[in-house]
Amino acid sequence: MNSRIATIARYTLLEALRTRLPALVLIALLATLGASLFIAAISVTEGARLQSGFYAAAARLASVFIAGIFVLVSITREFDDKGLDVLLALDLPRSHFILGKLAGYIAIAALIAIALSLPLAWLAGPQAVLQWTISLVLELIVVVTLALFCIITFNHLTPAATFVLAFYLLSRALTAIRLMGTHPLTGADTLSHEVIRYLVEALALVMPSLDAWTRTAWLVNDPAPWPDILQLAGQSTLYAALLTAATLFDFHRKSL
């Protein structure tokens, strides 16, 4: 890795460690674990399965929220404090800044995923927990890359956060939407249904179906086949590469 990229990544990681991010992750872990213990306590049967399933689902959402918001706030602070202008006034290519920031954010996302997956070591089997953690890291890579692209493109926190949230929710629900479009209860032969169905299928070609990532079923039922994890890794790498290329293109054409 280029020394400049590595330096930016290291300072990005130090920024996360010196802010309230570790405390926020700890609060999310304790709150989610406490809620899962409550769920297990009030359950009539299969308390351990309910606890691990609830914790996994809540921890996944918490990690996505924390990682995405940190990227958005971090770059927004760079814009507001004019630190980015000073940095780019030096002999530093813009691509090095983006790649360094992204490397730091990916490292932060991996640490968040590992931290929030630690309680699962006592709730599920080691293979399932390992697969769940790897998949969560891959999912967060897509999320932080998307967040970086959005904040560079929109330059403002609110529209960027809105787009990231909408993209994530649509990606999680895309498979269900496709199934409902393929087998509707009524109106299957109408023109509007056909237009919507083709629109959904077009979205499915360019958007990841994030419901396939980090499945709770791996923890409460059977672990996933390892080829499925490798397929998720390939898809995550592809989407991250495309989003990074789009971010670099958009950042190069901006006049700061």
Side-chain angles (χ1 to χ4, degrees):
M1 182 185 294
N2 185 285
S3 60
R4 294 177 177 178
I5 297 176
T7 300
I8 294 174
R10 181 167 65 87
Y11 278 104
T12 303
L13 186 58
L14 288 175
E15 175 192 359
L17 295 176
R18 291 172 180 173
T19 58
R20 295 185 178 89
L21 182 65
L24 181 60
V25 173
L26 180 60
I27 291 172
L29 189 153
L30 294 177
T32 307
L33 183 59
S36 68
L37 290 172
F38 176 75
I39 293 295
I42 65 174
S43 61
V44 178
T45 59
E46 297 186 332
R49 284 168 55 89
L50 287 174
Q51 181 183 1
S52 59
F54 176 86
Y55 179 85
R60 177 186 186 183
L61 293 178
S63 61
V64 168
F65 174 80
I66 293 172
I69 287 297
F70 176 77
V71 173
L72 297 175
V73 172
S74 175
I75 298 297
T76 301
R77 188 184 302 117
E78 294 278 1
F79 284 132
D80 293 342
D81 295 344
K82 303 300 180 181
L84 182 58
D85 295 0
V86 175
L87 187 63
L88 294 180
L90 304 174
D91 185 20
L92 177 69
R94 295 190 176 195
S95 60
H96 288 187
F97 173 79
I98 293 296
L99 294 177
K101 281 290 186 180
L102 181 59
Y105 294 143
I106 289 175
I108 293 166
L111 292 176
I112 292 173
I114 293 171
L116 288 176
S117 66
L118 288 178
L120 290 173
W122 288 272
L123 300 174
Q127 179 180 342
V129 174
L130 178 60
Q131 291 178 340
W132 190 89
T133 305
I134 293 173
S135 180
L136 182 59
V137 172
L138 295 173
E139 183 175 353
L140 292 183
I141 289 174
V142 176
V143 170
V144 299
T145 310
L146 173 65
L148 182 60
F149 166 73
C150 289
I151 194 60
I152 291 296
T153 301
F154 294 112
N155 285 348
H156 295 286
L157 180 60
T158 301
T162 302
F163 187 92
V164 172
L165 177 61
F167 184 95
Y168 183 77
L169 293 178
L170 181 58
S171 297
R172 289 288 304 272
L174 191 57
T175 300
I177 294 173
R178 293 179 67 189
L179 289 175
M180 289 187 292
T182 305
H183 305 286
L185 296 178
T186 59
D189 299 328
T190 61
L191 178 61
S192 60
H193 171 264
E194 290 299 317
V195 171
I196 293 174
R197 186 171 67 87
Y198 282 118
L199 177 61
V200 171
E201 292 299 324
L203 287 175
L205 293 176
V206 297
M207 294 182 64
S209 297
L210 290 179
D211 58 301
W213 275 254
T214 326
R215 295 183 178 180
T216 304
W218 300 341
L219 300 170
V220 298
N221 295 323
D222 296 321
W226 281 107
D228 290 356
I229 305 299
L230 293 177
Q231 183 180 5
L232 294 178
Q235 293 183 44
S236 299
T237 302
L238 175 61
Y239 283 110
L242 291 174
L243 287 169
T244 302
T247 305
L248 290 171
F249 174 79
D250 191 65
F251 194 51
H252 271 289
R253 69 180 181 83
K254 285 184 178 296
S255 59
L256 300 175

